[in-house]
Amino acid sequence: MIHVILYLSTAVIFLVIDAVVLTTVMKPLFEKHLGEALLQDIRLVPAMLFYLFYIFALQWLVTAPALETGLSWRLALNAAVFGAVAYGTYEFTNWATLKAWSWEMVAVDFSWGIILTTLSALGGLYVTRMLTS
């Protein structure tokens, strides 16, 4: 049951914070650089698959092992590295291969991925500890 609580609490934190930043920061930034190349409405199935898998991988590799040790600088560092690898793969590959991709998009989204992943991991573990203590 503790892993279900960890997954759900991490997912809620991740999704709520990301929804705010996607609509207020990322959408205008990507529209500025990509314009008509963006879809009017996102494709929900691929988005949902990403979020479900990303939270699972974050839990498997970062937060579940930290259940034993608790909140620490090591958890924050592992989450930040995980976010940097995931978001960096997307951003730097697109920057390397797509004409319209800009360094500004890379810098903002790459940084956001690190921050979001770290906050979600720390928050999810904190909430889980509070609810299961």
Side-chain angles (χ1 to χ4, degrees):
M1 185 64 173
I2 194 167
H3 290 282
V4 172
I5 294 169
L6 180 60
Y7 184 90
L8 293 175
S9 60
T10 304
V12 167
I13 293 166
F14 191 100
L15 293 171
V16 168
I17 297 171
D18 202 30
V20 171
V21 172
L22 284 175
T23 57
T24 61
V25 176
M26 296 304 176
K27 185 176 180 184
L29 175 63
F30 278 55
E31 285 174 340
K32 172 183 163 186
H33 292 284
L34 300 176
E36 293 298 315
L38 289 176
L39 294 171
Q40 287 295 327
D41 297 312
I42 66 166
R43 293 182 179 126
L44 288 177
V45 171
M48 289 176 8
L49 289 173
F50 165 75
Y51 284 115
L52 290 170
F53 182 71
Y54 191 82
I55 300 302
F56 171 79
L58 178 62
Q59 180 175 345
W60 182 269
L61 297 171
V62 178
T63 55
L67 282 171
E68 298 297 318
T69 58
L71 297 172
S72 72
W73 67 269
R74 183 71 176 191
L75 167 66
L77 179 61
N78 288 346
V81 169
F82 184 83
V85 169
Y87 280 73
T89 300
Y90 175 76
E91 285 300 330
F92 288 103
T93 299
N94 285 340
W95 194 23
T97 60
L98 300 174
K99 287 181 189 178
W101 221 260
S102 77
W103 67 268
E104 184 181 11
M105 293 163 58
V106 173
V108 172
D109 199 30
F110 178 67
S111 299
W112 175 240
I114 294 168
I115 293 166
L116 175 62
T117 303
T118 304
L119 289 175
S120 299
L122 290 169
L125 190 60
Y126 179 76
V127 169
T128 301
R129 291 241 175 249
M130 281 184 28
L131 295 176
T132 60
S133 296

